[in-house]
Amino acid sequence: MHNASATDLPAADAAELVRALARREVSAIQLCDAAIACFEQRDGAINAVVVRACRRASVNCSRPGTLS
């Protein structure tokens, strides 16, 4: 996943994302943004996301020491 783009992230499994995060190939905020984009694109059809806390998630990901 070297030099991953936001479009690559939804296709990766969780273990691959954790490894990319540990290698600093991707940031926590990039992972958060990709997850938000993914569910926003798909949720309309299935209405599975009950509570949307996107702003709070983004703020938490940008704090030092929180997977950044």
Side-chain angles (χ1 to χ4, degrees):
M1 176 173 284
H2 191 63
N3 297 323
S5 70
T7 57
D8 298 330
L9 298 178
D13 64 31
E16 187 176 1
L17 295 174
V18 169
R19 286 190 297 271
L21 185 62
R23 289 189 302 261
R24 298 185 182 268
E25 293 174 357
V26 66
S27 70
I29 194 72
Q30 286 174 301
L31 293 177
C32 182
D33 289 347
I36 291 168
C38 184
F39 83 69
E40 285 180 340
Q41 179 183 19
R42 293 172 173 86
D43 191 50
I46 59 175
N47 198 30
V49 179
V50 179
V51 177
R52 295 178 187 234
C54 301
R55 173 122 171 85
R56 185 174 358 144
S58 294
V59 168
N60 286 339
C61 285
S62 64
R63 289 185 183 152
T66 56
L67 301 177
S68 56

